[in-house]
Amino acid sequence: RKEVEQDPGPFNVPEGATVAFNCTYSNSASQSFFWYRQDCRKEPKLLMSVYSSGNEDGRFTAQLNRASQYISLLIRDSKLSDSATYLCVVTFYNQGGKLIFGQGTELSVKP
Amino acid sequence: DAMVIQNPRYQVTQFGKPVTLSCSQTLNHNVMYWYQQKSSQAPKLLFHYYDKDFNNEADTPDNFQSRRPNTSFCFLDIRSPGLGDAAMYLCATSALVVAGFQETQYFGPGTRLLVL
């Protein structure tokens, strides 16, 4: 079983839709949580960190449930420019803090 | 301004011909990483440097080596590239990692390697 798992998608949604991505992790020694965005043939870029209390950045909301070992990303009012792959990333105390990536969820926003 | 620079952006090599990819950073970060990313897969960590301390991942093939001559530069050497080594190679940096806490990693644009 992979340490960080995501639904690979693709998610095909119309502009203006709300879309939610889920991510689960299997190591209880979790430490930090992130969502990265990766455009086609480009490098991953940090979208947002995920805090225990949940956090919001404009149209993006991240939630963390440590008990269920579950992270989510909600995108409201999706734009064409949101089309990308969204990577769930977790670090674990017992792995020296290195980033463990999920396989990514592909989002395609259509006009 | 670019903070993590990778050269070349595209590299074509022949099967078995050694190739070197380079990465430089202007962030003065202590930690530098090399990842391999194949199509539709997550980035896979090959190794990282914490200052001059080299940390190899257990499943990184011996074919992959790295050098970090100074804080700013790090190189990935593929001694005998095989067809399966065709991938995007990403360099990343982060500030000092304290007690395992992972500072934000900044990725370079990547080098796309094609092996003929």
Side-chain angles (χ1 to χ4, degrees):
Chain A
R1 184 185 173 190
K2 294 179 181 175
E3 288 184 286
V4 180
E5 292 202 73
Q6 297 178 248
D7 181 344
F11 283 51
N12 296 305
V13 303
E15 264 187 298
T18 295
V19 61
F21 303 137
N22 301 320
C23 172
T24 57
Y25 58 93
S26 59
N27 187 336
S28 60
S30 58
Q31 182 178 45
S32 303
F33 310 88
F34 309 92
W35 284 101
Y36 275 73
R37 170 194 170 129
Q38 186 170 25
D39 291 287
C40 188
R41 305 178 85 83
K42 297 286 183 68
E43 75 274 23
K45 292 187 177 177
L46 180 65
L47 179 65
M48 57 197 304
S49 300
V50 187
Y51 303 118
S52 296
S53 55
N55 48 300
E56 187 173 303
D57 183 2
R59 297 182 293 109
F60 299 84
T61 301
Q63 296 281 348
L64 168 63
N65 185 323
R66 282 187 184 269
S68 301
Q69 297 185 174
Y70 170 91
I71 308 155
S72 66
L73 176 68
L74 184 77
I75 305 176
R76 292 181 300 278
D77 188 24
S78 51
K79 312 290 185 191
L80 297 177
S81 57
D82 294 333
S83 298
T85 295
Y86 290 83
L87 296 159
C88 174
V89 183
V90 182
T91 68
F92 301 99
Y93 286 106
N94 57 4
Q95 296 200 37
K98 68 182 183 183
L99 300 184
I100 308 297
F101 287 83
Q103 71 268 42
T105 298
E106 184 183 346
L107 172 66
S108 179
V109 182
K110 306 292 187 185
Chain B
D1 290 336
M3 297 183 288
V4 184
I5 301 160
Q6 290 189 243
N7 285 304
R9 296 291 309 277
Y10 300 90
Q11 176 73 57
V12 181
T13 191
Q14 292 178 331
F15 183 95
K17 184 175 181 181
V19 65
T20 294
L21 310 181
S22 75
C23 176
S24 62
Q25 54 131 337
T26 60
L27 298 162
N28 204 34
H29 281 168
N30 301 78
V31 195
M32 294 187 78
Y33 307 81
W34 279 105
Y35 292 86
Q36 178 193 65
Q37 187 176 24
K38 296 186 177 181
S39 181
S40 302
Q41 295 184 22
K44 177 181 180 296
L45 183 64
L46 296 173
F47 25 59
H48 73 278
Y49 278 92
Y50 180 86
D51 289 328
K52 291 191 175 184
D53 293 334
F54 178 71
N55 297 273
N56 198 30
E57 293 300 300
D59 57 354
T60 298
D62 292 340
N63 197 26
F64 292 87
Q65 304 285 318
S66 185
R67 296 170 283 136
R68 188 179 186 187
N70 54 52
T71 300
S72 301
F73 285 86
C74 195
F75 300 97
L76 169 62
D77 300 308
I78 308 176
R79 293 192 295 189
S80 182
L83 297 179
D85 297 328
M88 169 87 96
Y89 289 88
L90 294 159
C91 174
T93 75
S94 69
L96 181 67
V97 177
V98 177
F101 177 74
Q102 178 63 61
E103 299 281 348
T104 299
Q105 284 194 17
Y106 295 87
F107 284 84
T111 295
R112 190 166 293 277
L113 178 69
L114 180 63
V115 182
L116 301 177

